[in-house]
Amino acid sequence: MIRKEAIRLISKKIVGDVIVSANGYISRDLFEVNDKPTNFYMIGSMGLASSIGLGLALQNPKKMIHVFDGDGNILMNLGSLTTISKLKPKNFIHIIFDNSSHESTGGQPTSTNKISIDAIAKAVNFKVFKCHSKNSLDKIFKKIKKMYGPIIILVKISKSEKISRRVSLPPKKIKARFMKSLQS
Amino acid sequence: MNEIHQRRIFDYLVKNKIENFIGVPDSTMKYFIDQGFKRKKVLITTREEEAIGIASGFALSKSNSLVFMQNAGFANSISTITSLVQLYEIPLIFLIGWRGYLKKDAPEHMKIGKIQPNLLKILDLPRKIITDKNWKASCNWALKKLANHESCTLIIRRVFL
């Protein structure tokens, strides 16, 4: 599965709930395949999508908060997993798209082909699922409907050929419509 | 700053609807943080940027936050301040210690202590030094900034070694 396809499939399953997407191609893909006011595109501050998601999850216990992260992003803020685990937000679902590379900057490798993020997540008490195909994606999403977070879904993806366009909304607009969507 | 004022500052900010106190500890403000622990309102994070990210999630949900850190952590946070807090205009109060304010502080604090005022200035972060004498006025200034959806910084000087 390529990232854009995975993001399309997963974001269609998330109706009316929040998605915080990491900078780089993850936000660009999400913007192209399923733009919604409930998406918060984090276009800078690499590494922090899971932290922003944690703040949202704690303050909005009745909404499910989904974080669309990358392997490079989470490796930059691994400490975040310990903080999330300490607080155990039930409404926190962390989806990590792992292509073992920094694809937006030219495909330089990360360490996830040698170390396993799922083992790290398990060690800090997340419920962890690993996904390699469209089929397993459907099964995992059915399963987690009946579960409490914090949950991590590691989605292994292959490198893409086509690049999505940049998020064309101004940051203040992203924020304003996102905040408004939280009120409803 | 003395213990009683640090504790009062915490209570005053809570009374004025600051709901979240998130950050990395600094001995310069240890009574402030301790007051937060007593009231079960403090979240300690692994890094300062993480604290800013969490506080931003709260701010997007209209819940006010203060982020505390040492000036070493402030140096860590510059990119997060420019590419998250300022980019999206997210209102937060920063409370930053000022190590290296005294000329005889430990060597690792001297350089950052020297450039801290200029760093804040070129970042365009409104700032005030909070002291035993002006603490209430400084808090009111910060609360007003927040009410106007602006971020700002309160600085606590390290006046002991």
Side-chain angles (χ1 to χ4, degrees):
Chain A
M1 219 172 358
I2 61 165
R3 181 188 48 248
K4 195 170 179 178
E5 175 71 352
I7 285 179
R8 191 180 66 78
L9 291 169
I10 295 172
S11 67
K12 298 280 182 206
K13 294 179 191 294
I14 299 166
V15 181
D17 280 323
V18 168
I19 301 173
V20 180
S21 58
N23 60 306
Y25 288 164
I26 291 177
S27 274
R28 287 164 72 153
D29 282 347
L30 179 63
F31 179 66
E32 203 163 285
V33 300
N34 199 359
D35 178 42
K36 291 178 292 189
T38 46
N39 296 346
F40 184 78
Y41 305 107
M42 180 192 80
I43 60 173
S45 63
M46 180 160 172
L48 293 186
S50 57
S51 301
I52 296 169
L54 175 59
L56 288 165
L58 294 172
Q59 192 61 27
N60 301 277
K62 288 186 180 158
K63 288 185 190 288
M64 291 305 292
I65 308 298
H66 302 78
V67 174
F68 282 12
D69 223 342
D71 49 309
N73 250 279
I74 193 59
L75 288 173
M76 226 184 222
N77 188 12
L78 271 180
S80 172
L81 297 182
T82 66
T83 309
I84 294 162
S85 179
K86 175 172 79 177
L87 298 169
K88 296 189 180 63
K90 288 180 179 173
N91 54 337
F92 186 90
I93 301 177
H94 193 169
I95 299 149
I96 301 172
F97 298 96
D98 180 9
N99 54 8
S100 299
S101 69
H102 292 280
E103 201 170 323
S104 340
T105 53
Q108 301 85 351
T110 68
S111 54
T112 62
N113 53 357
K114 298 213 171 77
I115 59 110
S116 66
I117 295 179
D118 44 317
I120 294 171
K122 273 179 198 157
V124 291
N125 302 321
F126 274 81
K127 291 166 190 162
V128 181
F129 296 90
K130 211 169 166 181
C131 166
H132 291 278
S133 66
K134 282 181 202 175
N135 259 345
S136 64
L137 204 63
D138 287 335
K139 279 181 197 158
I140 290 166
F141 271 81
K142 261 183 203 149
K143 239 186 222 171
I144 64 164
K145 269 191 179 161
K146 293 166 197 155
M147 292 173 79
Y148 289 126
I151 293 168
I152 278 183
I153 304 170
L154 187 65
V155 184
K156 288 282 180 184
I157 51 168
S158 48
K159 289 192 191 179
S160 318
E161 280 173 10
K162 281 187 182 166
I163 298 169
S164 297
R165 66 180 189 275
R166 283 182 186 278
V167 177
S168 58
L169 298 167
K172 275 172 76 178
K173 170 87 180 168
I174 295 171
K175 179 184 80 166
R177 64 176 207 163
F178 178 75
M179 287 180 74
K180 201 175 162 197
S181 82
L182 282 183
Q183 303 308 313
S184 59
Chain B
M1 181 176 278
N2 70 32
E3 175 175 352
I4 186 82
H5 288 133
Q6 291 199 20
R7 294 190 188 277
R8 276 188 193 156
I9 290 168
F10 192 93
D11 291 343
Y12 188 73
L13 292 173
V14 171
K15 204 173 114 191
N16 285 281
K17 305 217 163 70
I18 305 299
E19 296 177 319
N20 319 291
F21 296 80
I22 311 167
V24 177
D26 182 351
S27 56
T28 310
M29 56 181 91
K30 68 176 173 189
Y31 301 112
F32 173 86
I33 297 167
D34 184 64
Q35 189 68 5
F37 270 109
K38 278 189 177 161
R39 300 191 60 172
K40 297 189 174 151
K41 284 183 186 295
V42 163
L43 174 58
I44 302 290
T45 59
T46 61
R47 286 178 69 82
E48 298 77 10
E49 302 100 301
E50 192 199 356
I52 298 172
I54 297 167
S56 297
F58 277 116
L60 291 169
S61 323
K62 296 190 172 172
S63 173
N64 293 328
S65 298
L66 176 144
V67 177
F68 56 89
M69 60 182 72
Q70 305 180 15
N71 56 0
F74 164 62
N76 281 344
S77 302
I78 288 173
S79 173
T80 303
I81 292 170
T82 60
S83 76
L84 179 63
V85 177
Q86 295 182 325
L87 181 70
Y88 292 92
E89 297 183 13
I90 293 171
L92 301 175
I93 298 175
F94 292 98
L95 179 65
I96 305 175
W98 189 354
R99 292 298 302 252
Y101 168 73
L102 294 180
K103 294 235 158 38
K104 282 185 180 166
D105 207 336
E108 67 272 27
H109 302 300
M110 295 315 293
K111 177 76 187 198
I112 185 64
K114 193 176 169 190
I115 65 174
Q116 180 175 352
N118 277 335
L119 283 176
L120 284 162
K121 197 172 163 191
I122 56 174
L123 272 172
D124 273 331
L125 259 184
R127 63 221 164 265
K128 258 196 195 320
I129 293 173
I130 187 165
T131 64
D132 289 318
K133 280 187 182 161
N134 76 4
W135 69 268
K136 202 176 244 182
S138 298
C139 286
N140 287 336
W141 169 84
L143 290 163
K144 201 174 169 189
K145 288 272 176 210
L146 210 58
N148 292 331
H149 309 289
E150 282 179 72
S151 280
C152 65
T153 304
L154 295 170
I155 311 288
I156 297 194
R157 292 179 302 201
R158 173 85 165 198
V159 291
F160 57 94
L161 291 174

